[in-house]
Amino acid sequence: MDLGVLGAVTVRGLPVPAGKQAVMLALLLCHPNQPVPGEALVQAAWPAAPPSPSTFRWHLHQLRGLVGDRLTRQGDGHLLTVRDGELDAARFETLTRAARTEPPARALPLLERGLALWRGEPFGGLRDPLAIQSEAARLEEARLLAVEAQARALLALGRAAECALALAAVAEAHPFRESLTELWLRALAASGRRNEALRRFEQTRRRLRHELGAEPSEPLRRLHEDLLHRDPAPELLPPDVHAFTGRTAELTVLDRLLDRTPSVAVISGVGGVGKSGLALHWAHCRRDRFPDGQLYANLGEHTPAEVLNRFLAALGAAAIPVEQDAQAALYRRITAQRRTLVILDNATGSAQVQPLLPAGPGCAAVVTGRSRFESLVAEGALPIPLDVLSRTDAALLIGRIAGIEPAQAEPLAELCALLPLALRVAGARLLTRPGGLEALTARLAGELRLDELRVGELDVRASLEAGYHDLPGAERLLFERLGLLQAPSFTAWTAAAVLDVPLTRGGDLLERLAERQLLQPDGIDCAGQERYRFHDLIRLLARERAGTGPDQHAAVERFLRCLLTLAKKAYLREYRDAFRLMECDSPPWEPAGHVLPEDPMTWLAAERTTLLAAVRQAADLGHTGLSWGLALAGVRLFEIQGNLLDWQQSTEVALQACRDHGDERGVAAMTVSLGSVAVFQKHYTRVVDLLAGVLPELDNKAFRAMATGNLAYAELALGRTEDGVARLTEAVSIAEGAGDPVVEAVLLARLSLFQDDPRPALDRAAALAAGRRRVSLMVLLCDLRATLQGGHPAQAEALAQRLVGEVRCYGDRILEREALAMRAECLNALGRFEEEAECLRLAHDLALAQHAQPAADRLAVRLEALSGRIRR
């Protein structure tokens, strides 16, 4: 039960109407879990004349209707049972008590949570009887002490502007509480409002003299003297950022400026990521280290010449030269003897800020902008690339601005893509517009998210567009066309494809977009390619600006064709132009330049998420041939890595598109692909259902041979040995006629297990697989099975050890699972049960990771039976 007294008296969040019952409940809540005499309740509710006993009992009955059996009779009194955490006043005191023993950074959240419980005057302003008045006064004093503790924590953390804002109304409401006034004046002075602090002191002194006939206290007078005699220094910093959150690591890096030369840091990042906020917050936190002043300029609004004039005037230059070079020289001479902090905000590049950097060893400069300021970094500046906030800090920021619990703000933070500007807009909208959290979350989840992320002068789209409008033609076109793609990240070949340019040109243009913070570097992938990604909200902007039309459609189709061409080349190079799949009718396209590395499957692995997104985008656009062609192109990668879920889902997406658009050839190809993945999952009945009727529709012999072999494999697993062997023999014959040595090798190796002498077929399969490492390993797996079936467990176990090691080195996760399961059989035959159990556990974990549940279930049964045997 939720009970409240920090405002109107409430039960379960609902206010108790003013009257006798509210007074009685208030008095009981002044003494929770303690009996209150009936006489005291009567006197509180009926101070003029006591009621009749029946009237009193009726009001008690009504009160029990509110609190239930929590209100009980105790002798001549009445007791209200309140459990831990139910009374807001108790929660408040628990939080503030815990804050007393914590350092400022940990105390502040506790104090904020405690003060957030207050809704108004304690007990809703009830002042009778004396017990309620006394408890209300005690709680109000506790609140003021908590406000002062919060102010001290904010000042200790360098958040003076936020502290001044928080104290203003409270200090005005309690003008004779000098401890509160002192904290307010300190916050005003520390946030650059020294003159206002002096004016407020004079107002306080006049009021004390006029109304109380007293002088300010000694601490307040000492503060006044300090403010009067402080050396005048320029204080040009804008106010600190409200509700600054996170960035602990970046603030630590900025602190290195205090003890190094040159003392320059450059903060770079996308628009709205909080570059200015970080610089200003740090400046306010460390302003005491720069007693000769703090200078600030927004270089997005003023030229360097205008800023130099302003800085020199603020520094007290008696005469300012006309020529900029002379101004810069004078600026360096003045700052050489001072300890001054300079914030240069929204700079476009290194050259713009060079004449504005201070010269003194005790000075420091922080530069912000979208540029990476490589020239300044080369000269020793500290680079601080800024990314979005963590999920925890993002939710906390919205919560602090809007006054809600961070957990409630988490979905909203995700929709804001963790971008600080967007988070601030969302928090402000929650405060200023009707509809509440659910309504705003629903609007941001819609199509017009950037339209919703705007309030007053805060506009996320405008902030992100600032870099877009200045783009030259080629960079702008690339930015827009990348916005058309569903791929999560991009490389040089992606840019080359959407623009129809050579590979090197595509890479150069990507780098230029990254320099302007419209793309984010995403590291070097396993194929050695530099990858780039959009911030989520910038991707929305790029899609808006791309528009629609024939050129845009052609760019997307060229990207899809390029990916298909390169993916097919990758797996065909791996298998030396064999192991062929069905091909769609899409013409090939690839850029001028070298894309595939020496190990082509590493490239395909690096592009796995791109491939999956492309299958879906091609399906969405109705390019069914490209969709199923791309789905098939990923099969060889999914086989090696054991990505059976990716295989299944991408195939199902393409299959649905083919059905929707009447692409019968694609339907056949995707049905076979689903049957193939079902083989690896050991869903053998599903394999038969999928493949039995589709084989005649396959126009590619090698592909039909593989499909026939998979159907045979399922029939054999289901115990239909005669049909399975006959179909496997047919598959070998089809593969031989197709002239695909890899398909023939795989099928022949499987068939060998059903021949009286498997060796000729295995030797033939090994010869066909020569030079194709993975296929040789597949043949070796069949060789291992044949050796074990031949009654040679020791020889088979040695072969199994070798096979497990080689498939791990190659990286084939499915072959590793099969090899481990086979080795377990060998160890069982040798009576080495502990080692067998370990092999089964490893194989079981792989099956689960590969979403091969039937295989995992069978391994689990074997493992359970073995565990019982070991225990015996």
Side-chain angles (χ1 to χ4, degrees), residues 23-45 56 60 63 71-81 129 131-132:
V23 173
M24 292 166 66
L25 180 57
L27 186 58
L28 288 164
L29 288 173
C30 288
H31 308 282
N33 302 313
Q34 299 176 30
V36 177
E39 183 180 344
L41 292 172
V42 169
Q43 188 173 358
F56 178 58
L60 278 176
L63 191 53
L71 181 58
T72 56
R73 183 72 177 264
Q74 295 280 321
D76 293 333
H78 300 272
L79 180 144
L80 180 62
T81 300
I132 297 177

Side-chain angles (χ1 to χ4, degrees), residues 538-570:
I538 293 183
R539 185 186 288 272
L540 292 179
L541 176 67
R543 285 177 183 168
E544 284 183 359
R545 294 293 173 260
T548 58
D551 290 344
Q552 289 85 337
H553 292 308
V556 174
E557 184 175 347
R558 197 163 49 245
F559 158 74
L560 297 171
R561 287 167 50 204
C562 181
L563 178 57
L564 177 58
T565 302
L566 293 171
K568 285 162 53 177
K569 285 183 70 172

Side-chain angles (χ1 to χ4, degrees), residues 387-695:
D387 205 344
V388 296
L389 290 174
S390 69
R391 285 170 173 76
T392 300
D393 286 339
L396 181 60
L397 176 57
I398 293 180
R400 293 180 64 195
I401 292 172
I404 62 175
E405 287 294 321
Q408 295 178 274
E410 287 176 1
L412 199 57
E414 291 287 345
L415 289 169
C416 291
L418 312 180
L419 187 73
L421 177 59
L423 298 167
R424 290 182 176 279
V425 170
R429 288 196 59 175
L430 286 175
L431 282 177
T432 59
R433 299 191 187 183
L437 181 62
E438 291 184 6
L440 180 58
T441 302
R443 288 196 296 271
L444 288 183
E447 294 290 325
L448 304 175
R449 198 186 323 177
L450 290 177
D451 289 338
E452 297 293 340
L453 289 173
R454 180 174 56 210
V455 60
E457 295 180 356
L458 299 179
D459 187 340
V460 172
R461 180 188 279 109
S463 176
L464 299 178
E465 278 184 330
Y468 166 79
H469 287 309
D470 297 332
L471 286 175
E475 285 96 320
R476 177 178 293 202
L477 187 60
L478 175 58
F479 175 75
E480 294 167 351
R481 290 189 175 176
L482 290 178
L484 298 169
L485 306 182
Q486 293 180 15
S489 60
F490 318 110
T491 63
W493 71 263
T494 317
V498 296
L499 290 182
D500 194 5
V501 297
L503 189 70
T504 53
R505 175 66 170 159
D508 289 344
L509 291 173
L510 283 174
E511 175 61 17
R512 292 181 194 177
L513 288 179
E515 287 174 357
R516 294 172 178 266
Q517 299 294 335
L518 291 170
L519 286 177
Q520 306 300 304
D522 208 23
I524 305 295
D525 64 27
C526 60
Q529 302 175 114
E530 287 190 76
R531 302 199 77 85
Y532 301 85
R533 61 176 172 82
F534 274 129
H535 180 276
D536 286 355
L537 297 179
I538 293 183
R539 185 186 288 272
L540 292 179
L541 176 67
R543 285 177 183 168
E544 284 183 359
R545 294 293 173 260
T548 58
D551 290 344
Q552 289 85 337
H553 292 308
V556 174
E557 184 175 347
R558 197 163 49 245
F559 158 74
L560 297 171
R561 287 167 50 204
C562 181
L563 178 57
L564 177 58
T565 302
L566 293 171
K568 285 162 53 177
K569 285 183 70 172
Y571 78 74
L572 288 175
R573 187 187 296 178
E574 173 72 11
Y575 294 102
R576 291 172 54 191
D577 208 33
F579 224 1
R580 285 187 169 272
L581 301 164
M582 277 182 67
E583 296 186 6
C584 66
D585 296 330
S586 174
W589 192 94
E590 59 182 305
H594 182 70
V595 178
L596 296 180
E598 185 176 345
D599 180 0
M601 294 305 287
T602 61
W603 180 87
L604 200 54
E607 299 295 350
R608 182 179 68 85
T609 55
T610 302
L611 187 67
L612 294 171
V615 170
R616 186 170 296 278
Q617 184 163 17
D620 291 343
L621 294 172
H623 295 316
T624 57
L626 283 167
S627 183
W628 70 256
L630 287 163
L632 277 186
V635 163
R636 297 294 173 234
L637 174 69
F638 302 148
E639 281 182 340
I640 293 172
Q641 294 193 336
N643 296 323
L644 300 186
L645 190 61
D646 287 348
W647 185 351
Q648 179 178 331
Q649 290 179 345
S650 60
T651 303
E652 288 173 344
V653 166
L655 176 60
Q656 188 59 53
C658 292
R659 285 172 174 163
D660 291 344
H661 291 83
D663 186 340
E664 296 301 328
R665 190 162 178 263
V667 169
M670 292 297 92
T671 302
V672 170
S673 185
L674 280 181
S676 300
V677 73
V679 170
F680 289 111
Q681 294 169 326
K682 301 195 184 301
H683 287 295
Y684 296 122
T685 303
R686 176 171 166 76
V687 175
V688 174
D689 292 341
L690 286 166
L691 298 185
V694 78
L695 292 178

Side-chain angles (χ1 to χ4, degrees), residues 104 154 549 654 658 721:
L154 286 168
C658 292
T721 305

Side-chain angles (χ1 to χ4, degrees), residues 222-300:
R222 283 199 305 269
L223 174 60
H224 179 238
E225 287 296 314
D226 181 56
L227 293 174
L228 283 174
H229 294 96
R230 184 176 296 177
D231 292 335
E235 296 180 345
L236 304 185
L237 292 179
D240 195 0
V241 181
H242 171 57
F244 184 87
T245 303
R247 305 300 194 197
T248 304
E250 290 83 0
L251 290 169
T252 301
V253 174
L254 283 167
D255 279 344
R256 291 165 54 190
L257 289 181
L258 303 174
D259 302 303
R260 75 188 299 269
T261 302
S263 297
V264 179
V266 291
I267 304 174
S268 59
V270 67
V273 81
K275 303 179 294 293
S276 303
L278 173 62
L280 287 172
H281 181 70
W282 181 81
H284 280 280
C285 289
R286 297 292 178 258
R287 63 188 304 149
D288 60 320
R289 297 291 297 269
F290 302 97
D292 297 319
Q294 304 88 41
L295 304 175
Y296 171 88
N298 185 343
L299 293 176

